[in-house]
Amino acid sequence: MNDIVPKHQSVLLNKVVEYAMPNEGKIFVDGTFGLGGHTKAVLEKYKSIKIALGIDRDSQILKYARDCFDEPKLTLFQAKASDLPIILERLGIKKVDGILLDLGVSSYQLDNPQRGFSFSKSGPLDMRMNPEDGETAEDLVNTLSKTELEKIIFEYGEERFGRKIADAIVRYRANKPLKTTEELAKIVCDVIPSSPKNKKHIHPATKTFQALRIAVNHELDELKNFLDIAIDSLNTGGHLTIISFHSLEDRIVKNFIQTNAKGCECPPQFPVCICGKKPRIKILTPKAIFADENEIMLNPRARSARLRSIAKI
């Protein structure tokens, strides 16, 4: 664990507990287990739970969780959330009653410079959720074309200076490979002009780091794949609760919820429905739920968190 002691404050904890399960639900799945703060609170609240499954890509954080999380109802798996059907089949479980997905990066991952998620301390440009698999951010910034980098930074980071940043990265790597978070952060800071309008004091490299992390881990594709899987894996009346942290994720979740709550996909000019599609879900949170000022003061990383929850019908 690189001598890093994991510390983490689970965001929107009370709301997760409120929406996590139907009353008397028996099987709960945390698809992004992390250090297990949400799962621990859910188990304390819902005494009816017989089985809890914790899934996470990160082998390092799961190793720590296995060493310190003493709960006989809980079984942990290193996997992607979208691997849930494989896990359920292996256990002989057909359906579950509650599923949680927290799309944020854990404090352990952010605070450990060796993981490369943060620009606050210099470390290798890694950014993999599973540190044993796939391309790193270093691979991307040193091999992708300027056009490909610009597309990633602009689309995944919603960074309007994406073209300038991509150009600066390509010019930098022409002399030597780009290897550290410190180098990348400096490149971005040199490109983006300081602005007195940035009242939130967001670091100039935030959006670029977000974009590369999403690309490295294929996060948006994973989310899209998971949503249908989650609904199919729920018992009738089961709850799906998702916490997202930026507009790209939330847009995917919101559109999925609206489509599946509506059912019918006929053109609005049709007098009657001919497609026959029925609503699959009931919306439990008509609007996204945000952290209040007290929580944000205690945990600034909660400021961008938003929670949405649905029930299968």
Side-chain angles (χ1 to χ4, degrees):
M1 298 295 288
N2 300 306
D3 297 321
I4 300 293
V5 178
K7 296 179 180 178
H8 186 71
Q9 291 175 276
S10 300
V11 300
L12 294 165
L13 186 62
N14 291 335
K15 290 299 180 181
V16 166
V17 171
E18 179 180 346
Y19 289 103
M21 296 276 287
N23 290 332
E24 305 307 317
K26 291 180 172 56
I27 304 177
F28 174 73
V29 176
D30 188 336
T32 46
F33 185 77
L35 291 174
H38 286 124
T39 295
K40 182 178 180 181
V42 170
L43 285 167
E44 288 173 353
K45 168 68 174 178
Y46 297 90
K47 303 301 183 183
S48 59
I49 294 176
K50 304 297 184 185
I51 298 172
L53 307 178
I55 303 170
D56 204 289
R57 293 187 186 189
D58 193 329
S59 59
Q60 293 182 2
I61 207 166
L62 279 180
K63 180 181 183 302
Y64 182 89
R66 286 190 176 100
D67 291 342
C68 69
F69 207 106
D70 183 19
E71 171 52 65
K73 295 179 181 179
L74 176 66
T75 306
L76 299 179
F77 298 89
Q78 184 191 357
K80 295 181 293 186
S82 60
D83 292 328
L84 178 59
I86 299 171
I87 294 170
L88 294 181
E89 183 178 6
R90 186 189 311 171
L91 297 174
I93 297 172
K94 292 184 178 180
K95 304 285 183 180
V96 306
D97 302 300
I99 300 175
L100 170 67
L101 202 67
D102 176 354
L103 299 171
V105 182
S106 77
S107 295
Y108 164 68
Q109 291 166 327
L110 285 170
D111 294 340
N112 185 344
Q114 294 304 309
R115 301 300 298 274
F117 286 102
S118 175
F119 38 74
S120 60
K121 296 178 182 178
S122 186
L125 272 171
D126 193 315
M127 299 194 192
R128 292 172 295 174
M129 295 290 188
N130 177 358
E132 301 166 358
D133 187 38
E135 291 183 309
T136 65
E138 180 183 340
D139 294 328
L140 298 188
V141 297
N142 286 300
T143 61
L144 294 182
S145 69
K146 182 167 69 173
T147 300
E148 290 170 320
L149 284 170
E150 178 188 343
K151 180 179 173 63
I152 286 173
I153 296 168
F154 180 76
E155 292 188 1
Y156 292 166
E158 299 180 299
E159 172 58 80
R160 62 192 181 99
F161 295 104
R163 180 173 298 176
K164 290 184 176 181
I165 294 169
D167 182 64
I169 289 172
V170 171
R171 283 189 282 109
Y172 184 95
R173 78 189 192 195
N175 297 313
K176 63 174 184 175
L178 179 53
K179 289 185 172 295
T180 70
T181 56
E182 184 179 32
E183 289 174 290
L184 178 58
K186 187 178 186 306
I187 290 171
V188 177
C189 290
D190 288 345
V191 167
I192 297 181
S194 60
S195 171
K197 295 180 180 179
N198 188 3
K199 297 179 180 179
K200 294 182 178 179
H201 305 292
I202 298 174
H203 192 284
T206 299
K207 293 181 179 180
T208 299
F209 272 66
Q210 170 188 298
L212 288 170
R213 191 202 78 223
I214 289 172
V216 165
N217 297 290
H218 307 286
E219 292 177 29
L220 301 185
D221 289 337
E222 167 68 6
L223 175 59
K224 292 173 185 176
N225 291 337
F226 175 75
L227 289 170
D228 273 315
I229 287 170
I231 299 301
D232 291 339
S233 300
L234 286 171
N235 282 314
T236 300
H239 293 190
L240 169 63
T241 303
I242 298 179
I243 302 173
S244 59
F245 286 81
H246 56 76
S247 58
L248 294 174
E249 294 170 338
D250 189 55
R251 195 176 303 137
I252 291 170
V253 175
K254 183 178 179 180
N255 289 342
F256 177 85
I257 288 174
Q258 290 176 340
T259 298
N260 285 274
K262 179 184 176 183
C264 175
E265 295 179 349
C266 294
Q269 63 268 27
F270 279 27
V272 295
C273 173
I274 61 171
C275 74
K277 287 195 172 182
K278 302 294 183 183
R280 299 174 69 197
I281 63 172
K282 177 176 71 173
I283 299 173
L284 302 178
T285 53
K287 294 183 179 180
I289 296 174
F290 293 85
D292 60 27
E293 292 182 3
N294 290 333
E295 180 173 357
I296 293 171
M297 184 171 61
L298 294 171
N299 181 14
R301 288 173 182 164
R303 68 179 179 272
S304 57
R306 62 202 81 178
L307 178 149
R308 297 183 188 274
S309 188
I310 58 92
K312 181 176 179 178
I313 58 176

